[in-house]
């Protein structure tokens, strides 16, 4: 069974978008994963296929209607569909590499992309949508956030990345940021590759990389080193 993303959006043309290229695109063409984008507007109301309305209580912007989104959801997934149902949302739990791994090991995901001010709270509760954020900033819609999540998952699917190993040494995989990389030329603008990397001593190189990882993490992301409480 291959990994399947079903996306509910007002802009299905945005998918697979950049994920139709490069390694993810090759994997999609091979059938290693599936990208099924559905238009919420197909379930809109009336001649104009309206999907949104003004916020109860007043205020700026528009809100995606609960009934419209629920109809779109119910048409896209059966109640026994084992895939997690995610709503891209700045209020959600921030996405982590650990969560991405879990998602990539599963059957796929249903991903709802918000627009406007957001989504009527009742459909989040009534359809048990899990809110997921890609960071503390506001996008104009959930589509880019969905693409980010999908990209991070797809590259972990078996056979998608050239070298299996490159998935494991990445930043965050061991709780640390990655050590610095170098390649030819040996000297560039007066800067040399650290001698130890050219020494051929693999144990020493591993120790050096580990120490670099720890120092960079300490300097840039000390929060990653704190024990999780
Ligand atoms: N009024 C909302 C922001 C709406 S942005 C608030 O203040 O919380 C419109 C849509 O973009 C959201 O419904 C969500 O689907 C998406 N979005 C915006 N920022 C996001 C983020 N950081 N992570 C995930 N989705 C985001």
């Amino acid at each position: 069974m291959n990994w399947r993303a079903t996306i509910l959006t007002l802009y299905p043309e945005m998918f697979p978008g950049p994920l139709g290229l490069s390694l993810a695109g090759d994997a999609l063409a091979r059938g290693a994963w599936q990208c099924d984008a559905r238009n919420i507007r197909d379930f809109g109301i009336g001649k104009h296929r309206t999907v949104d309305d003004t916020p109860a209580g007043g205020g700026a912007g528009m809100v995606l209607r609960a009934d419209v989104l629920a109809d779109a959801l119910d048409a896209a997934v059966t109640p026994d569909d084992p895939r997690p149902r995610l709503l891209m949302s700045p209020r959600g739990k921030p996405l982590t590499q650990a969560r991405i791994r879990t998602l990539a090991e599963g059957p796929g995901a249903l991903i709802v992309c918000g627009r406007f001010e957001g989504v009527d709270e009742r459909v989040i509760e009534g359809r048990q949508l899990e809110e997921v954020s890609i960071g503390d900033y506001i996008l104009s819609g959930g589509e880019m956030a969905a693409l980010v999540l999908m990209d991070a998952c797809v590259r972990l699917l078996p056979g998608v990345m050239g070298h299996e190993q490159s998935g494991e040494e990445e930043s965050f995989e061991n709780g640390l940021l990655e050590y610095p990389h170098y390649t030819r030329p040996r000297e560039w603008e007066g800067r040399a590759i650290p001698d130890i990397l050219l020494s051929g001593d693999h144990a020493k190189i591993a120790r050096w990389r580990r120490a670099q990882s720890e120092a960079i993490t300490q300097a840039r992301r000390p929060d990653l080193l704190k024990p999780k409480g």
Side-chain angles (χ1 to χ4, degrees):
M1 222 186 45
N2 52 22
W3 199 84
R4 190 158 69 94
T6 299
I7 305 115
L8 294 184
T9 168
L10 290 169
Y11 299 97
E13 308 83 354
M14 289 193 187
F15 297 87
L19 301 184
L21 303 169
S22 191
L23 292 178
D26 297 343
L28 184 62
R30 273 204 309 279
W33 68 288
Q34 275 173 271
C35 179
D36 172 23
R38 314 264 181 116
N39 199 338
I40 299 168
R41 198 168 296 284
D42 291 347
F43 300 86
I45 289 165
K47 192 162 61 116
H48 298 293
R49 300 243 164 258
T50 303
V51 298
D52 58 341
D53 211 328
T54 53
M62 300 293 273
V63 177
L64 255 172
R65 289 177 58 129
D67 51 356
V68 171
L69 187 52
D71 285 350
L73 276 162
D74 295 344
V77 283
T78 53
D80 62 345
D81 193 315
R83 293 175 298 165
R85 301 157 170 237
L86 312 177
L87 168 66
M88 303 319 295
S89 158
R91 296 192 321 187
K93 203 168 170 189
L95 206 49
T96 61
Q97 187 63 17
R99 185 72 214 281
I100 290 290
R101 258 200 192 279
T102 310
L103 285 170
E105 282 161 10
L110 173 84
I111 309 173
V112 180
C113 302
R115 278 270 155 183
F116 323 118
E117 280 314 307
V119 172
D120 188 306
E121 190 72 20
R122 293 169 296 178
V123 69
I124 303 177
E125 293 165 8
R127 291 295 180 278
Q128 284 153 357
L129 300 179
E130 177 194 341
E131 294 180 71
V132 174
S133 168
I134 64 159
D136 292 343
Y137 40 80
I138 305 294
L139 305 168
S140 50
E143 288 77 12
M144 303 256 207
L147 288 166
V148 165
L149 182 147
M150 290 159 62
D151 178 70
C153 287
V154 166
R155 62 188 287 286
L156 295 181
L157 300 177
V160 171
M161 260 190 306
H163 296 281
E164 291 291 337
Q165 211 197 356
S166 57
E168 278 154 36
E169 290 195 356
E170 229 78 59
S171 289
F172 307 120
E173 289 291 359
N174 57 4
L176 296 173
L177 301 180
E178 206 177 39
Y179 50 80
H181 298 292
Y182 300 88
T183 185
R184 279 185 271 271
R186 198 167 172 150
E187 199 176 303
W188 173 77
E189 294 192 350
R191 295 163 191 271
I193 295 176
D195 285 337
I196 195 158
L197 295 178
L198 306 170
S199 69
D201 184 336
H202 296 295
K204 251 185 165 167
I205 291 172
R207 277 200 301 279
W208 180 86
R209 285 179 165 164
R210 175 83 196 183
Q212 289 285 319
S213 272
E214 286 169 1
I216 289 171
T217 309
Q218 181 61 256
R220 300 182 188 179
R221 293 291 305 277
D223 57 296
L224 294 176
L225 299 171
K226 290 203 194 96
K228 304 243 157 36

